[in-house]
Each structure stands twice: as structure tokens, then as C-alpha cells.
Amino acid sequence: MSENRVRVTQDSGSRWRRRAGEYATLTEALAVAEPGDTVTVRRGVFRENVVLDKPVHVVTADGPGTVRIDPPSGTALTVTAGATVRDLVIEGCDSSAPAVLIAGPKATASLVGCRVDGHAAVGIEVTDQAEVLLTGCTVANPSGLGLRLRGEAVARFEECEVSAAGQAGLAVLEGSGARLHRCRLHHAAGAGVLLSDAGSLAELTGCEIFEIRGSGVQAESRAVGRLTDCEIHRVTGNGLTLDTEAELELTECRLHDLPENAADLRGRAALTMERSAVRAFGRGALSIWDPGTRVAATGCEIEDSTGDYPAIWVSDGAQLTLTDCALHDLPDALFVLDRDSRATVTDTSFSRIRSSAVSVSSGATVELARCRVQEAGTGLWFRDHGSGGRLTDCEIAEVATGVIVTKGADPVLRGCVVRGSAEAAVYVSAQGRGSFEECRAIQGRGFGFHVIDGCRTVLTRCRAEQNRRAGFEFSEPGPIAEGCTSDDVAPPPPAELPAQRAAQLTSAAPPLVAPPQISPIPDCRPADEALAELDALIGLATVKQEVRTLIDLISVGRRRMQAGLKAPSLRRHLVFTGSPGTGKTTVARLYGEILASLGVLQRGHLIEVARVDLVGEHIGSTAIRTQAAFDQARGGVLFIDEAYTLAPEDGARDFGREAIDTLVKLMEDHRDEVVVIVAGYTAEMERFLAANPGLSSRFSRTIAFPDYTDAELLEITRTQCVEHQYQLAEATAGALLKHFATLDRGPSFGNGRTARQVFETMVERHAMRVAQLPDPSTEDLQLLVPADLPLPHPHPA
């Protein structure tokens, strides 16, 4: 008699009437088992085809790996009911059948801790509207597919692994749905995940796909995939391949070490990426082809190309949207080509680009807003007829050439800055056009705006500063310049062309345009007038001397540069220390105005902020607020009052630190665009400057604002009287002096603010007094007498 190795525990619903039986084979045991029974299998190998057509529980008696199902052919395990299988090893070697088949709408099965080893057509197949949960299972099937879902099946995989597959690791087909959590798919000879057919959906969270001889994820025929916190790396094909209206959504994913494209899209497919990273790719990060194909990336990073191809390629009418992304360490960053191809890029940075950051050709267009290009061969190159777009408030720094426009290209640039270019900041040639409005070329080693070949470029209110060769260079008539300024005004080209050149111009050529006139950079207000207003301020003798010293240094430095001499490198950011009401804001406003009059700042306006304007309530919002305030101050002064509140003594987790860190970086990245002045009490400002290692080095000096003396407070009050057409009686002036001497000069003392408050109180008391007079004279209406002084306040004990 053969050994009984399978025990069936039957429960009729009462724990006192439990019955059990033992059988030699799984087939015999399952034949007598009833729904809800538990089938316990002892150690051994069962060479039979097991069918679970009842909702039973199959478990091992001796733990995982002790029971193997290994039939000579066919499907090793078939589940058509709501059964549970735990810790079995299932081996199938039929190349025409799956090792495990879960089929039918009643198959709400659960497999826990099972291992599928085989050389079958499929490791596990779920089909015909079955629903299955796999937890902690492993599949190795080097001869075929690892997992396959079809026929509107639904499967959840928790911490499962496909360790080898001769084809795709997971295939989701025919409207099926798969959800994978913390799963690993690797060493597959096809795609790691294959999605196909309308209605098919795969959702992966915390999964890893690697060592794939094909694409990491391949989606086609209107299938949809959603990946969150997933990693795809070391695949021989593309990281992602999308075709025929498939859609993928990636959130906080990582794609790296990919010899081909990180993502290749065609046929109206769509990819959405948020807070994801792409690096170490051999061909491209994003290759986007065909009309209707589109990619939208937000908060993503693309870096470290290992090949010589553009990181992003948009062609044949495809669409790209980048928002708040970073692209760096690349041969070329973004190529957009072909009519109807379009890229919209906002708040994105391009850095360390060996050739072109953005290239637009063959009729394509781009829209860039608030983008930054730094350390590139060419910032932007509009190459040929029909190519163009719009750039708004972009900055291009430390490049060979900032913007190139050639062969009929016609972009529009507004409010853009090119800084520190090795050659021309803007170069237009070969019938290129372009409109440049309120753009700036600063500190270049070549020309600021260089237009040759008589190109009909339009420049409106553009500005060139500190360019080594010249601010504007027009080799022939053609460019149109309106309201443009330069600190190095080049003589206009001759009005009359040489006879030989004039004879070459035929009637078919466009009419010559008069040479544009470039004006010197205008003074907003003469510096002497602003300095005179500074000198007219009451008191503040040491402050005035400090500011004059700074202005002299800057002014002489500018003159040395114009004379071809090396100018001292000055940091113009300041720290103002002292009590409230000592004139810090007023001095900051005048300082910005003087710098603008000297051509150091573009506008010289003052933006005053405090902690509430910079610090947000959520992680990340502080950096956004600080950036916005800094952007408002571009070309002028950012004045941060009570700056020490950004670094409270007990603020280890305070968001103010984020504002300081953001500010330090912005001051370095835009050192010549904004003057930052921080103000507050002396001791507290020392703590503020120690909050970030690089903070104190950003400021050139500290200017201390002393408290006003009693006599100076009296003088401020006199000024208020003159401004508002009041008069002080002699006795009133003496009484005021004594009143100011009695005031408590503690931390709450308001200095000039206190003097203004005293004046307002006197005006109120004067009104109450004069209102009682039957027929007040003009003198009565103006004269402030001792009785109008505020009532004395006793000093605190």
C-alpha cells in the first residue's frame, strides 16, 4: 500500500465535529475535499497534474520548498475556483502549456510563498476574468513568459519576483489589470513588463526592473501603465518603449545605466513624468516621434549621458512639456525639429552642456519661460526658416555664444539676459531675423549683439554692458534698434556704401534700412541728487560715510574698467544693524537708486520683505517664495527686514533655514543682478550670519545705524511740522527735548518712528484744543504749544 502523504481536514462548521482523512495523492485528496477544507501535503514530489476547482486551502506540512508538483507534461497546477495555495514548488516543462493556469471568473485564487520553476510556455497565466493575489512568490521560466494576464484578468503581486524568463517577465494583455507592489523583475529575454491592448492596465509601486535583454517597460496599442517609486536599469534596449497610443505615468522613478534611450515614444503615445530621474543613458533620455506623441515632465532630472546624442529629441510633429526640470552633463540637451514639433519649457535649468543647450530647426518651435542655461557651447540655436518660438525672462550664462539665429529663423526674446559669453551674446547671420525686446548682454568677451549680412533683426530697448569688443555690432544696414543703450557705444556703420557694393544691390533686394542709433546707458537720476538726499537725512553721519565709501569704490572701479584696467571685485550686499526707526529702509532705497545711476543695477528699485513673505507652511514652499521675492528684486535691491527671524535660536526644524539656503545660492548665481540688504538688531544679526557657512561671505560690510539723539529726534519732529504746515513754539521745542530725554530707550524704542508718533499725538491734542476756540486764527491753527505734548509715561519699575 502506498504511503498516505496528503491529509484533508474537513470542517463542517463546528470545531467539535471536525473530521479528517489521509490520501496517497493530491488528486485523491482533492476529489473528496469540500469547499473550505484544508489540504495539508507532506514532504515529497507529486508527479501529477493538480486541479483546484473548489475553494480549498492547500498548504505544506513541513514548510516552504518541501513539496514539489512536477508532472511529465501539461499544466502542473490549474486553479478555477477561490483556492489558496501556500509554499508549494511548481515545475512545468510543457512548452505548449503554462506551468500554472488560473482561469475563469470564479478563480479568485491566492498563492502565497510559492515558487514556479519550469521550462513552460508561461510560468503563471491568469485568464478569463480570473482574479488572483500572489504574495512572496517567485517565477523562473527561461523558456517562455514569466507572468501573463489576458482575457480581462486581474492580478495583484505583493513582493514577488520574476528571476528569469525566456520572453517578457510580465505580459498584461487583452484588457487585463495588474498591480505590483515591491516586486522584482530581472533576467528576462524580452521586455521586463509588456503592456498591450486597450483596457490593459499595470500599476507598479516600489518595483525594480533590471538585467533585461530588451526594454524595461514596453507599452503599445492603447495600454496604460503607472509606475511609482520604481527603478529601471541595466537593460539592453530602451528603458521605456511606447507605441500606438499607449500611456505611461511615472512618479518618483529612477532610470539609469541604459545603453539605448531611457524612453522612446512613437505613434501618438504619451508619457507623464513627475519627480523622476534619468541618468547614464547611451543614446537619449527622451526620443519623441510622430504627430500626437507627447511627453510632459515635471520636477525631473536628466543627467550624465554616456553617448554623443541629444538628451531629448522631439521630431515629426511631437510635443514636449518640461516644468521645473534640470538637465546637466550632456553633449546636447534639447533638439526640436520638423514642422509642428513643439517644446514648452518652464522654470528649467540647463548646465554643463558640451554643445547646444537648445537647438530648433526645420520649422519647429519652442516656448521657454524663466529658464536658465549655464556652461554650454551654445545657449540656443535657431537654425533655419520657420524655426522660432518665444523666450521670456530666460538667463544664459557662461557659454561660448548665447543665442544664434541663422537662415531665416525668427524667434522672439523678451526680458532675457546673456551673461559672460566667450563670443557674441547674440549672433544673427545668413538671413536670420529675430525680435529682441528688453534683452541684456552683459560682461561678454565678444560683442553683445552681433548682427551681420544685413539681417532684419529688431532690437527694442535692449541693453549692452561691459562687453569687451562692443555692445552692438552691425556690419551692414538692416537691423532695427529702438531705445537701445550701451556703455560702450560703437560708431554707427557708414551711411554710404562703397560704390562697388552699391552696384551689387539689385531692385529685387530688400530696401536698406538706416543704421540704428544706439544711445549711452541713461542715468535714472544723477547720483549727486540721490547723494544729496542721503546727506539731507538727519543724523547718521557714520552711515553716510560708509555709503559714500562704497559708492566711490564702485564708481572708480567702473572708470578703471573703461580705461582697460582691472577693477576690484566688490560684493555690494550689505548688513544693516541697529534699532527700528533709524532710517535703514530709506538708506537702502537711496543706495539702490545710486547704483542704478552708476549703471551697476538695471533699475535700482526696492523690494522690502520680512519673514512672512519668504517662509511657507510646507516643505518646498519657502524656496518658491524666496525665489519669487528675489525675482521681483532683479535689477534692484532686496531688503529683508528683521532678517534674524529666519534663524531663530530654537529653529532646528524651522523653514527659515530653507529661505537662507535658497538666498545664498541665488546671491551667488545672480551676483550682479540684485543687491541684498539684510537688517535687524546687532546681536541677532550676528546669529543670522552664522546660520549658513556661506552667508557672511556674501556681504561686503556691516553698517551700524545708531539710535537718534534727543536733539535729532527734535529735528525730525521739526521736519514733520514743516511738511504738514505746523509750527513749533520756542517753549514747545524745549519741552519736546525734555520729553524725548524721559523716554525709555529699551528694545521697543522706535527712534524716528517714535518722533513721528509724538508729532501725530501733538496734532491730535492740538485739534482737541483748537476745536474749543470760538474763532481760531491762522496762527492758532498752526502753532503747537507745550500743552499739546503727549502726557508723560512713567518709566517701568
Side-chain angles (χ1 to χ4, degrees):
M1 179 181 292
S2 60
E3 177 186 4
N4 291 327
R5 295 181 297 170
V6 185
R7 179 181 180 86
V8 178
T9 302
Q10 189 176 42
D11 192 343
S12 63
S14 169
R15 63 190 181 93
W16 303 110
R17 299 179 59 188
R18 181 173 296 169
R19 293 172 293 145
E22 296 195 359
Y23 304 90
T25 68
L26 270 166
T27 303
E28 293 173 348
L30 292 169
V32 300
E34 297 182 2
D37 286 356
T38 299
V39 179
T40 305
V41 190
R42 296 192 183 99
R43 183 186 301 271
V45 178
F46 293 80
R47 301 194 180 279
E48 53 186 300
N49 301 98
V50 177
V51 178
L52 302 181
D53 55 2
K54 305 170 187 176
V56 297
H57 307 283
V58 180
V59 299
T60 62
D62 303 310
T66 59
V67 175
R68 287 194 300 139
I69 300 174
D70 184 15
S73 63
T75 297
L77 174 64
T78 301
V79 183
T80 61
T84 299
V85 181
R86 184 181 293 272
D87 297 334
L88 295 186
V89 177
I90 304 159
E91 300 182 2
C93 297
D94 193 327
S95 61
S96 62
V100 176
L101 174 64
I102 304 170
K106 296 182 179 180
T108 56
S110 175
L111 275 64
V112 181
C114 294
R115 190 172 82 239
V116 178
D117 289 327
H119 293 274
V122 186
I124 299 177
E125 178 163 273
V126 188
T127 186
D128 297 334
Q129 300 180 10
E131 295 187 13
V132 62
L133 169 63
L134 276 71
T135 304
C137 296
T138 302
V139 176
N141 186 41
S143 296
L145 291 163
L147 306 167
R148 180 167 66 187
L149 279 65
R150 62 180 182 171
E152 301 181 7
V154 177
R156 287 193 297 134
F157 303 91
E158 300 280 345
E159 297 185 338
C160 294
E161 181 173 10
V162 177
S163 61
Q167 299 175 36
L170 166 67
V172 183
L173 315 171
E174 299 174 6
S176 298
R179 295 180 62 184
L180 287 77
H181 178 68
R182 299 184 64 180
C183 295
R184 303 171 77 234
L185 298 95
H186 55 94
H187 292 89
V193 175
L194 172 64
L195 309 175
S196 185
D197 307 323
S200 297
L201 170 66
E203 297 178 301
L204 286 72
T205 304
C207 297
E208 184 180 11
I209 302 172
F210 63 100
E211 295 294 350
I212 303 295
R213 294 195 300 276
S215 297
V217 176
Q218 180 176 333
E220 57 194 31
S221 302
R222 300 172 62 188
V224 176
R226 301 189 183 104
L227 283 69
T228 303
D229 188 26
C230 293
E231 184 172 8
I232 300 174
H233 59 109
R234 302 203 307 275
V235 304
T236 62
N238 301 315
L240 309 171
T241 299
L242 286 78
D243 204 346
T244 52
E245 300 184 60
E247 297 183 14
L248 279 185
E249 299 177 9
L250 270 64
T251 304
E252 296 181 347
C253 293
R254 301 161 301 283
L255 288 74
H256 60 92
D257 296 296
L258 310 167
E260 293 295 324
N261 298 295
D264 185 280
L265 292 86
R266 301 168 189 265
R268 304 180 66 84
L271 171 64
T272 302
M273 302 173 64
E274 293 188 6
R275 302 183 301 281
S276 296
V278 179
R279 63 177 177 83
F281 46 90
R283 185 171 291 273
L286 302 171
S287 293
I288 314 166
W289 312 76
D290 303 335
T293 305
R294 62 194 187 278
V295 171
T298 303
C300 296
E301 184 174 18
I302 297 174
E303 62 173 325
D304 190 22
S305 170
T306 60
D308 295 318
Y309 303 92
I312 302 179
W313 180 277
V314 184
S315 66
D316 299 305
Q319 309 287 310
L320 168 72
T321 302
L322 298 178
T323 305
D324 192 25
C325 294
L327 294 83
H328 52 90
D329 297 297
L330 305 168
D332 292 283
L334 171 61
F335 269 39
V336 188
L337 61 159
D338 300 327
R339 186 175 300 278
D340 298 326
S341 295
R342 186 181 187 87
T344 303
V345 187
T346 307
D347 296 320
T348 291
S349 65
F350 303 80
S351 60
R352 299 187 295 280
I353 311 299
R354 294 193 291 276
S355 186
S356 297
V358 179
S359 174
V360 186
S361 61
S362 303
T365 59
V366 296
E367 294 274 348
L368 273 69
R370 300 183 301 280
C371 293
R372 177 176 174 81
V373 178
Q374 186 170 18
E375 297 182 44
T378 301
L380 294 98
W381 192 340
F382 298 89
R383 293 178 178 266
D384 47 28
H385 182 74
S387 304
R390 188 182 306 273
L391 276 72
T392 306
D393 297 330
C394 295
E395 181 174 353
I396 304 167
E398 301 174 47
V399 296
T401 305
V403 180
I404 300 176
V405 183
T406 57
K407 299 180 181 178
D410 194 10
V412 175
L413 284 79
R414 290 196 175 99
C416 296
V417 178
V418 181
R419 182 190 312 279
S421 57
E423 299 173 9
V426 173
Y427 179 74
V428 186
S429 68
Q431 289 75 54
R433 295 177 69 91
S435 298
F436 299 82
E437 182 177 337
E438 295 183 350
C439 295
R440 300 168 64 200
I442 304 173
Q443 299 171 343
R445 295 195 293 276
F447 294 113
F449 296 86
H450 191 187
V451 184
I452 67 172
D453 300 329
C455 294
R456 297 292 298 276
T457 302
V458 178
L459 301 102
T460 306
R461 296 185 299 280
C462 291
R463 180 173 173 130
E465 304 175 41
Q466 304 176 35
N467 293 285
R468 188 171 297 177
R469 298 189 67 182
F472 293 81
E473 173 67 13
F474 306 138
S475 61
E476 296 175 299
I480 301 171
E482 299 178 355
C484 296
T485 57
S486 175
D487 62 356
D488 183 10
V489 180
E496 297 182 2
L497 295 176
Q500 181 180 0
R501 172 62 176 148
Q504 295 173 354
L505 298 175
T506 67
S507 59
L512 294 178
V513 177
Q517 300 296 317
I518 307 301
S519 304
I521 293 176
D523 293 328
C524 304
R525 177 168 76 148
D528 290 343
E529 290 185 19
L531 284 168
E533 185 176 338
L534 177 67
D535 289 336
L537 296 177
I538 295 169
L540 305 177
T542 58
V543 172
K544 296 171 185 176
Q545 183 57 47
E546 289 276 9
V547 172
R548 276 193 170 276
T549 300
L550 276 171
I551 299 305
D552 290 344
L553 283 169
I554 292 169
S555 179
V556 171
R558 296 277 292 178
R559 290 174 179 265
R560 286 177 58 86
M561 289 185 64
Q562 292 172 355
L565 301 174
K566 187 174 182 180
S569 177
L570 294 176
R571 292 186 298 273
R572 299 159 297 184
H573 310 300
L574 302 175
V575 179
F576 287 177
T577 63
S579 302
T582 49
K584 295 187 288 291
T585 305
T586 300
V587 173
R589 175 180 59 79
L590 291 171
Y591 181 58
E593 192 173 351
I594 294 167
L595 292 184
S597 71
L598 295 175
V600 176
L601 290 177
Q602 185 178 22
R603 295 174 58 194
H605 64 296
L606 179 76
I607 298 296
E608 182 176 0
V609 296
R611 175 187 168 89
V612 68
D613 303 302
L614 303 180
V615 177
E617 299 176 355
H618 309 288
I619 294 175
S621 61
T622 295
I624 295 172
R625 287 191 182 189
T626 304
Q627 175 79 61
F630 195 91
D631 288 342
Q632 278 186 289
R634 289 203 186 201
V637 175
L638 179 64
F639 181 80
I640 307 176
D641 199 13
E642 297 182 338
Y644 55 85
T645 58
L646 298 175
E649 291 181 302
D650 57 349
R653 298 177 61 84
D654 186 82
F655 288 150
R657 303 279 178 164
E658 184 181 353
I660 294 173
D661 296 342
T662 303
L663 188 65
V664 168
K665 185 177 188 304
L666 290 171
M667 291 169 68
E668 179 61 28
D669 292 346
H670 307 276
R671 64 175 71 95
D672 296 321
E673 289 186 60
V674 177
V675 167
V676 177
I677 299 177
V678 292
Y681 293 108
T682 303
E684 285 80 353
M685 290 306 293
E686 291 177 358
R687 184 183 72 238
F688 166 75
L689 293 174
N692 181 294
L695 189 59
S696 60
S697 65
R698 299 295 191 275
F699 294 93
S700 62
R701 63 182 63 201
T702 298
I703 299 179
F705 284 67
D707 286 347
Y708 288 112
T709 65
D710 298 338
E712 289 168 343
L713 293 175
L714 175 59
E715 193 61 30
I716 292 172
T717 309
R718 286 187 187 276
T719 303
Q720 292 286 305
C721 289
V722 172
E723 182 180 345
H724 295 87
Q725 295 184 322
Y726 284 88
Q727 295 178 2
L728 282 181
E730 288 300 322
T732 310
L736 263 176
L737 199 58
K738 292 179 181 179
H739 173 78
F740 288 134
T742 65
L743 295 179
D744 177 26
R745 291 183 174 250
S748 61
F749 182 64
N751 281 287
R753 194 175 304 128
T754 297
R756 288 188 291 273
Q757 290 170 349
V758 167
F759 170 73
E760 290 166 0
T761 302
M762 292 175 68
V763 168
E764 292 173 3
R765 290 175 63 82
H766 166 268
M768 294 170 60
R769 176 175 57 80
V770 173
Q772 305 303 317
L773 300 177
D775 187 18
S777 65
T778 302
E779 183 180 8
D780 291 332
L781 293 171
Q782 290 183 295
L783 193 64
L784 300 175
V785 301
D788 297 328
L789 263 66
L791 295 175
H793 293 280
H795 287 282

